[in-house]
Amino acid sequence: MPCAIAVILESRAFDILARVLLTLVFWSAGIGKLVDVSAGAAEMEGFGLTPGWAFNAATLTLQIGASLLIILDRWTWLATGALAVFTLLTIPIAHPFWAKEGEAAFRDLTVALEHVSVIGGLAVFAILSRSAMRRRLWG
């Protein structure tokens, strides 16, 4: 690996940037639900989740809270696991491609596959985070 790339990959700034980018989809959605609570509640009710305000509050708390834990490098195993489970659950709730036809089915399938990729990224991050912690603790 070129030395310049190694320096970037080992820098604290790049580590933080990667954490922010990994969680961008979650914390930005959570902030949106916080800024417009009524729209977030309506979105939840549109998916059949009632009361919408309660599901909105739980969702934004998870999205923002778990993102912050990952960005701050605290309890990353819990935060990545919670976001992975949440992301997996959104597929049957919000993107049931198997129940649709044509373009709508294709759009939801594409989103579902993107969700599975995000889950993979969260899993890789949890593995790397654990490896980094082991190195800090045991050299």
Side-chain angles (χ1 to χ4, degrees), residues 98-119:
W98 56 89
K100 298 181 180 177
E101 294 182 14
E103 186 64 29
F106 180 75
R107 273 193 313 271
D108 275 359
L109 174 60
T110 301
V111 172
L113 293 173
E114 289 170 353
H115 281 37
V116 171
S117 293
V118 169
I119 292 166

Side-chain angles (χ1 to χ4, degrees), residues 127-137:
I127 293 166
L128 293 175
S129 179
R130 180 168 165 25
S131 295
M133 176 166 298
R134 292 170 97 183
R135 281 193 305 277
R136 285 192 300 262
L137 292 176

Side-chain angles (χ1 to χ4, degrees), residues 1-110:
M1 171 183 313
C3 184
I5 300 298
V7 168
I8 291 169
L9 293 176
E10 293 172 6
S11 77
R12 180 70 178 145
F14 190 74
D15 180 35
I16 294 169
L17 176 63
R19 292 168 186 271
V20 169
L21 294 176
L22 176 65
T23 58
L24 173 66
V25 69
F26 299 108
W27 60 257
S28 62
I31 290 171
K33 287 172 177 53
L34 182 62
V35 169
D36 193 348
V37 174
S38 61
E43 178 185 31
M44 297 298 160
E45 290 184 6
F47 293 129
L49 303 172
T50 58
W53 65 268
F55 279 96
N56 187 60
T59 298
L60 73 87
T61 300
L62 172 67
Q63 290 176 318
I64 295 170
S67 294
L68 282 173
L69 288 173
I70 291 169
I71 292 167
L72 298 173
D73 196 16
R74 299 290 182 257
W75 291 357
T76 53
W77 64 271
L78 178 63
T80 55
L83 289 175
V85 169
F86 168 80
T87 303
L88 185 63
L89 290 174
T90 64
I91 295 171
I93 294 170
H95 310 290
F97 59 89
W98 56 89
K100 298 181 180 177
E101 294 182 14
E103 186 64 29
F106 180 75
R107 273 193 313 271
D108 275 359
L109 174 60
T110 301

